[in-house]
Amino acid sequence: METSYKGTDKMITGIVFGVITFWLFAQAMVNVVPAVQEDLGISLGTVNIAISLTALFSGMFIVAAGGLADKIGRKKIAYIGFILSIVGSLCLVLAQGSALLIIGRIIQGLSAACIMPSTIALMKAYFEGKDRQRALSYWSIGSWGGSGIASFAGGAIATSMGWRWIFIFSIIFAIIGMFLLKETPESKQKSTGVFKFDYSGLVIFIITMIALNVFINYGSDLGWTSPLTIGLLAVTIIGMIVFIKVEKSKDIVLIDFDVFKNKPYTGATISNFLLNAIAGTLVVANTYVQVGRGFNSFQSGMLSLGYLVAVLAMIRVGEKILQKVGAKSPMIWGALITTVGVAMMGLTFLPDLTYTIIVFIGFALFGLGLGIYATPSTDTSVSNAPADKVGEAAGVYKMASSLGSAFGVAISAAVYGAIAANGNLETAASIGIIVNVIFGILSILSIIFMVPGDAGKTSNASKPAGSSRHPITE
């Protein structure tokens, strides 16, 4: 849709409020497990399943929602996401047992799937050059900052007011976000005929994603060599092969694989996947300092305070570096600083006080690097996506974030657990963290070899031509 509308700060604020409903409020569930379990009288396993369902449903539907946003309207899909957020949060506020808790968490996942790619696409549509980079910085603050603040805000709200108030605040933020986006015009592809949908592609994709997520999240509990785990891996691999083959044979597709022919976009997406995999460090480091060094949960949380402050402080700095030297340099330096910070946490042979100081500095470098990396990476992916497929491309980019984090946590936890079972916690933590250092190095290499030196330097560069096929619809 052609329009002369230019994005405003009001629009940015509304979008950030939408992003926060997931990254701050929905993800705060991780930090209030005991309170939820006691209040609802349900098992720990049920609460953990409810927590994981949000990420699962977000990951399954985020690409489809992004593609739908391109065709039927990015603002419309964002609004659907806001409404789903309100409904999902309301289910949790009213929950008296497991039923509404699980239903609410599923709806929150669908909400995130709608909001994340559609809001990125709106920013691409109504901001250009430095204005777009600034808008994406605030989007990143809502995302990275929200995830960082979640443990503190969620815990504070639950302690002082009760855990249900977390989701009352989420409803308030969603309503305000909808109001702030009210004046934003609709943005979508030009209509090219009767609406059609790639149902077969979606079904194959969902089955594959369910198998992959169950394999990642429950492989260690089921046993990595158990028949069920091996079966899930087989379903995942076969599903991916079938999905790619089916999608390449059709005109109406869920994911247009031609977007990956653009090296900057592919480089940003792969490095994003790998840098998110470093999230496994958070699990290993926090577990080790509590089990191996005698820290309580509050003390271990304080160790990561530097991460929160640094990531929030450096996101705008990353934007300014992007505007001066392009995207490649801050992406490399961001990934490198993050990797160094992670490596420092692996120095488990150090005595208690020294190690505590090193871990605090490591977390601060972790956040500093991610803050520098965030906006240049997001801008590289968005600016190199075809204008008519930016919602779909943003969905793939954000799905890479979720899958990378899930992979990193699962692999790191499995390595740590296997070695710790033999009684050597120091070695377990050190090797578990080395796994994350490898992810960081691979992320740096993907940027070096795939992101060109001039990425981000020409803010209004022409976008790559997309495929003649239309994602999801025709």
Side-chain angles (χ1 to χ4, degrees), residues 113-130:
C114 291
I115 288 174
M116 286 191 282
S118 62
T119 52
I120 289 178
L122 282 172
M123 286 181 163
K124 166 73 176 289
Y126 295 129
F127 293 94
E128 294 182 356
K130 292 183 178 181

Side-chain angles (χ1 to χ4, degrees), residues 290-301:
Q290 291 183 55
V291 178
R293 301 278 177 152
F295 283 53
N296 60 37
S297 57
F298 174 76
Q299 289 170 332
S300 66

Side-chain angles (χ1 to χ4, degrees), residues 130-256:
K130 292 183 178 181
D131 290 334
R132 183 189 66 239
Q133 292 163 351
R134 173 177 172 269
L136 290 173
S137 284
Y138 283 105
W139 194 100
S140 297
I141 288 172
S143 173
W144 292 97
S147 61
I149 296 172
S151 59
F152 293 95
I157 294 170
T159 301
S160 60
M161 305 176 72
W163 69 270
R164 296 176 196 268
W165 276 95
I166 294 171
F167 303 102
I168 292 174
F169 282 116
S170 183
I171 291 171
I172 294 170
F173 269 64
I175 292 171
I176 295 173
M178 292 177 72
F179 172 77
L180 293 173
L181 276 182
K182 185 177 179 181
E183 296 175 2
T184 303
E186 186 56 276
S187 166
K188 62 181 180 179
Q189 293 175 2
K190 292 181 179 179
S191 178
T192 55
V194 180
F195 179 86
K196 294 182 180 180
F197 191 85
D198 180 18
Y199 292 103
S200 60
L202 181 62
V203 170
I204 297 169
F205 186 74
I206 288 174
I207 292 172
T208 304
M209 290 299 296
I210 289 175
L212 176 60
N213 276 273
V214 174
F215 172 79
I216 292 170
N217 291 305
Y218 299 101
S220 59
D221 296 332
L222 297 170
W224 293 110
T225 58
S226 71
L228 181 55
T229 303
I230 294 171
L232 288 167
L233 180 60
V235 170
T236 300
I237 295 171
I238 294 170
M240 287 179 177
I241 294 171
V242 171
F243 178 73
I244 292 171
K245 186 175 181 179
V246 168
E247 293 295 281
K248 287 188 173 182
S249 68
K250 298 189 301 184
D251 290 329
I252 311 300
V253 294
L254 188 67
I255 298 178
D256 184 354

Side-chain angles (χ1 to χ4, degrees), residues 309-319 321 367-373:
V309 174
V311 75
L312 288 174
M314 296 307 294
I315 285 175
R316 292 301 308 277
V317 174
E319 171 204 334
I321 297 173
L368 190 150
L370 289 180
I372 293 173
Y373 170 89

Side-chain angles (χ1 to χ4, degrees), residues 15-101:
I15 286 174
V16 171
F17 274 31
V19 174
I20 283 176
T21 60
F22 174 71
W23 288 107
L24 175 54
F25 297 114
Q27 292 301 81
M29 271 287 288
V30 175
N31 305 96
V32 294
V33 170
V36 174
Q37 185 183 356
E38 181 180 354
D39 187 24
L40 299 182
I42 56 180
S43 69
L44 177 61
T46 301
V47 178
N48 286 335
I49 289 172
I51 289 173
S52 65
L53 283 173
T54 299
L56 173 62
F57 274 78
S58 173
M60 284 196 300
F61 290 98
I62 193 168
V63 177
L68 281 171
D70 289 332
K71 182 60 181 178
I72 69 174
R74 289 141 185 167
K75 179 181 175 181
K76 184 178 293 183
I77 292 297
Y79 260 53
I80 291 172
F82 277 109
I83 293 168
L84 289 173
S85 178
I86 293 169
V87 173
S89 294
L90 192 60
C91 286
L92 269 63
V93 171
L94 300 175
Q96 297 299 320
S98 60
L100 278 182
L101 176 69

